[in-house]
Amino acid sequence: MTQRSTTRSWLVPALLGSAAALGASALYAVSKARGAEQRHPPIGSFLTVDGVRLHYVERGQGEPLVLIHGNGTMIQDFLVSGIVDELAKRYRVIIIDRPGYGYSERPRALWTPRAHATLFQKALQQLGVSQAVVLGHSWGTLVAVALALQAPQLVRGLVLASGYYYPTLRADVVLFSPPAIPVVGDAMRYTISPVISRLLLPGLIKAMFAPASVPERFDREFPKELMLRPSQLRASAEDAALMTPVTVELQEHYRDLKLPVVIVAGADDQIADVGRQSERLHSDLPDSEFIVVPGMGHMIHHLAPEQVVRAVELATMHARAAAA
């Protein structure tokens, strides 16, 4: 038997076996995603902006308050925290699944914070909102800032919670970005990424809350399975890949923010360094207020909900004073 024949004798079965394994992984990912959606169907309403279907929830009545979630999460992150129940007593609370998360679509595009902001501005216009206080958490703070910069007539005040505002070297960006790569990333998120993410997710959630424990309500009620769908893995990967580059541009405009800004963070945040991020932003915005909560981590709206509600009330009070 020639060397070529010998090579062919094992190579063809190996390739066929690999293809079968990848096919099985893809079927598994699709099956798991469908199962997650059956167990956790949409909880809100839908609207379409520039051809993008967005899922949103409204609670309460009063002055509009818009909540923008971070990377990897969705509307339920705010609902499960309990702050919506409290804020809805005084505000018309609007939460929109960012493109690619929850049940909002994410067409192929460069989804920078400014692209998000443009979409949100039009969505709020459809909802009849002409002015609002805007709260962003984590990656959502970038969208909130971009919205305030692009639509100053819309945003009355900002609440920025556990944000990332200045470019730094981050290991998680390298670790979680590959599924964003066209073609290769598409193959990953339908094969190995859901499996790996399922294994990593408990540790990632623990780190988000550390040094505090993960609240029992979050563990029980948050639809973690929806985070592992291929569509949401792509959104998370793209946001992770863009995190550092977009702050390079946005940081040049922070001083253009001419509105009340309240910054809130956990002092022991292990995801976004408080000194290099929130404290620095507070220094760059001399008129801002800074609420730092000792012993708390990144998920500040779960760990210190009363402080986040207080931050919203401060921003609203200052916005009213500025308009008077």
Side-chain angles (χ1 to χ4, degrees):
M1 184 181 290
T2 65
Q3 184 176 0
R4 180 178 297 178
S5 298
T6 303
T7 301
R8 186 180 300 163
S9 68
W10 63 262
L11 182 58
V12 172
L15 290 174
L16 290 173
S18 297
L22 290 174
S25 296
L27 290 173
Y28 173 82
V30 171
S31 174
K32 282 289 187 180
R34 287 176 178 169
E37 291 173 349
Q38 288 173 356
R39 286 184 289 275
H40 305 285
I43 57 175
S45 303
F46 291 89
L47 56 80
T48 300
V49 181
D50 291 343
V52 180
R53 192 168 185 249
L54 297 175
H55 177 234
Y56 72 97
V57 159
E58 285 196 58
R59 295 285 190 274
Q61 295 181 337
E63 299 174 83
L65 169 65
V66 179
L67 309 184
I68 306 176
H69 65 79
N71 191 1
T73 63
M74 60 201 87
I75 283 171
Q76 288 90 334
D77 182 33
F78 288 118
L79 294 176
V80 172
S81 73
I83 66 169
V84 176
D85 293 336
E86 184 61 32
L87 291 167
K89 296 175 183 177
R90 298 178 293 283
Y91 299 91
R92 176 191 176 191
V93 182
I94 300 169
I95 322 168
I96 303 173
D97 274 331
R98 291 198 294 108
Y101 297 97
Y103 283 95
S104 288
E105 296 176 342
R106 189 178 180 110
R108 288 286 186 184
L110 189 61
W111 286 103
T112 63
R114 290 190 178 274
H116 277 80
T118 299
L119 200 69
F120 272 46
Q121 181 180 357
K122 293 179 180 180
L124 292 172
Q125 185 178 19
Q126 282 194 32
L127 294 172
V129 176
S130 58
Q131 285 192 316
V133 170
V134 177
L135 182 156
H137 174 254
S138 194
W139 211 94
T141 61
L142 299 173
V143 181
V145 167
L147 185 59
L149 290 170
Q150 292 180 197
Q153 75 287 352
L154 170 64
V155 183
R156 303 171 58 216
L158 281 176
V159 179
L160 305 175
S162 304
Y164 177 78
Y165 313 103
Y166 301 94
T168 59
L169 293 175
R170 292 176 59 109
D172 59 334
V173 170
V174 178
L175 180 63
F176 296 116
S177 296
I181 302 170
V183 184
V184 174
D186 292 335
M188 289 179 64
R189 62 193 178 88
Y190 277 98
T191 54
I192 62 171
S193 290
V195 177
I196 294 173
S197 297
R198 194 174 299 276
L199 295 173
L200 294 177
L201 189 59
L204 293 174
I205 291 174
K206 186 177 180 180
M208 288 163 61
F209 286 92
S213 300
V214 178
E216 189 275 335
R217 181 178 178 182
F218 180 92
D219 202 39
R220 183 182 71 251
E221 297 183 18
F222 187 78
K224 295 183 280 292
E225 293 174 295
L226 293 179
M227 301 171 71
L228 301 170
R229 293 171 299 163
S231 58
Q232 188 148 327
L233 290 175
R234 174 169 72 90
S236 296
E238 289 176 350
D239 284 355
L242 284 173
M243 187 178 296
T244 300
V246 297
T247 56
V248 173
E249 187 269 331
L250 280 178
Q251 69 175 338
E252 301 299 322
H253 303 282
Y254 293 151
R255 292 185 180 274
D256 297 333
L257 294 169
K258 307 299 182 184
L259 76 170
V261 178
V262 181
I263 302 162
V264 59
D268 297 303
D269 190 332
Q270 298 181 18
I271 304 298
D273 184 275
V274 176
R276 299 170 70 180
Q277 300 297 335
S278 294
E279 190 173 332
R280 181 179 171 186
L281 182 66
H282 175 52
S283 178
D284 283 349
L285 297 175
D287 294 330
S288 65
E289 294 200 37
F290 185 27
I291 300 171
V292 59
V293 188
M296 297 302 174
H298 191 65
M299 302 294 275
I300 193 65
H301 49 307
H302 292 270
L303 300 171
E306 69 287 347
Q307 296 289 5
V308 175
V309 170
R310 177 182 165 225
V312 171
E313 291 173 342
L314 281 172
T316 303
M317 179 182 68
H318 293 319
R320 289 171 183 160

